[in-house]
C-alpha cells in the first residue's frame, strides 16, 4: 500500500473529532466538580468518622498495652504452677518473667535452637540467653548442659549473659562449672525467689552491665 498525503478534508475531520472529545471531557470534569462540591459535607463527615475511629483504636491499644504491662508487673508464678506446665509452657513462663523484670524478651526455643529458649535485651545489661530445662520434681541437670550453653551463647547468640533455668536442681559439678565459666544457673530455690517472690532475675544473679568482651571469648 502506497503512502499518500492526507487531504484537507481529512485534517478538518480529525480536528473536529478532537474538539468534540475535548468538550466532552470538560463537561464530564465539570459535572464531577459540581457533584463533589455538593457532597463536601458528607466527605467531611466521613473523614471525621475515620479520624475518630483511628483515635479510638489507638486509645484502646494503648490501654491494652498498659493493662498488659500492669498485669505482668504483678506476675507471680508458684513452683506448683510451674511443675504443672509442659516444657513449652515453661519456656513461655520464663519469657513472661523476663518481661516483668523489664527485659524485651522473646521465646525462640525450637528444634536446632542452639541452646537458647528465650532471648532478652535490657539496657545497660545487654543481651541474655536463657536455656530452659523443664523436669519432673527431683530431676537434675548435669554439666553437659553448661558446656553446650557456654559454647553457643556468645558465638551463636552474641549474648552478654547466659542462664540455665530448671524447676529441678543441678548436680554439684554443673553448678561449680557454671560458676567458674560464667554460665549462671537457676535451680528450684532460686526459681521460687524469681517467679513466686518477685525478685528480678538480674538482681538475683547480680548481673553486671554489658562489657566490651564476653566472658566466654578468649583474649586476642
Amino acid at each position: 500500500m502506497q503512502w499518500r498525503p492526507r487531504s484537507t478534508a481529512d485534517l478538518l475531520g480529525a480536528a473536529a473529532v478532537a474538539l468534540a472529545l475535548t468538550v466532552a471531557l470538560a463537561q464530564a470534569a465539570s459535572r464531577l466538580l459540581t457533584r463533589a462540591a455538593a457532597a463536601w459535607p458528607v466527605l467531611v463527615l466521613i473523614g471525621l468518622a475515620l479520624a475518630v475511629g483511628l483515635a479510638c483504636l489507638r486509645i484502646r491499644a494503648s490501654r491494652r498495652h498498659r493493662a498488659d504491662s500492669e498485669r505482668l508487673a504483678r506476675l507471680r508464678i508458684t513452683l506448683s504452677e510451674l511443675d504443672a506446665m509442659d516444657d513449652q509452657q515453661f519456656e513461655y513462663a520464663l519469657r513472661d518473667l523476663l518481661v516483668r523484670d523489664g527485659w524485651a524478651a522473646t521465646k525462640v526455643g525450637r528444634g536446632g535452637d542452639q541452646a537458647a529458649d528465650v532471648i532478652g535485651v535490657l539496657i545497660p545489661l545487654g543481651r541474655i540467653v536463657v536455656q530452659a530445662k523443664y523436669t519432673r520434681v527431683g530431676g537434675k541437670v548435669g554439666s553437659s548442659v553448661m558446656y553446650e550453653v557456654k559454647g553457643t551463647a556468645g558465638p551463636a547468640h552474641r549474648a552478654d549473659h547466659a542462664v540455665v533455668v530448671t524447676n529441678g536442681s543441678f548436680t554439684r559439678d554443673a553448678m561449680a562449672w557454671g560458676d567458674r565459666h560464667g554460665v549462671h544457673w537457676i535451680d528450684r530455690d532460686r526459681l521460687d525467689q524469681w517467679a513466686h517472690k518477685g525478685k528480678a532475675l538480674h538482681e538475683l544473679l547480680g548481673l553486671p552491665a554489658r562489657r566490651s568482651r564476653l566472658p566466654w571469648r578468649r583474649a586476642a
Side-chain angles (χ1 to χ4, degrees), residues 44 56 63 78 97 133 176 190-191:
V44 170
C56 289
R63 288 177 177 174
T78 66
L97 289 169
K133 285 300 176 183
R190 289 181 174 181
L191 184 58

Side-chain angles (χ1 to χ4, degrees), residues 42-53:
V42 176
L43 296 176
V44 170
L45 289 175
I46 291 173
L48 287 174
L50 289 173
V52 171

Side-chain angles (χ1 to χ4, degrees), residues 6-21:
R6 301 179 67 181
S7 65
T8 302
D10 292 336
L11 294 175
L12 290 175
V17 170
L19 179 61
L21 287 173

